[in-house]
Amino acid sequence: MRVSAAWLTELLHREEFRWKRTRDSLRHRADPVLQQAARAWLEDLRTYGWRPTRERTT
């Protein structure tokens, strides 16, 4: 018996199985001092009217 990819996907979704490609993260290696400096720099840019295109959740 052969099972198509579409049918297998349907069955997995019915069982609430979800999958995504994993993403690399360097969060554990982030330097808090550099992050704060970058936030301050961005805040200075906002005072001149610059706005980010999307909100980041950090």
Side-chain angles (χ1 to χ4, degrees):
M1 180 165 112
R2 299 184 76 179
V3 178
S4 71
W7 179 240
L8 182 59
T9 299
E10 175 66 29
L11 291 174
L12 290 171
H13 277 283
R14 284 184 189 179
E15 295 297 320
E16 297 182 7
F17 184 83
R18 302 290 184 255
W19 65 93
K20 284 186 172 181
R21 182 180 271 270
T22 59
R23 297 181 180 173
D24 293 334
S25 173
L26 297 176
R27 194 171 267 237
H28 66 284
R29 299 186 73 187
D31 184 355
V33 175
L34 290 176
Q35 285 182 334
Q36 186 58 37
R39 282 190 192 102
W41 181 71
L42 287 173
E43 195 58 41
D44 286 343
L45 288 176
R46 285 189 186 107
T47 61
Y48 295 108
W50 178 83
R51 295 282 183 251
T53 56
R54 64 185 169 124
E55 287 294 320
R56 289 189 174 184
T57 55
T58 311

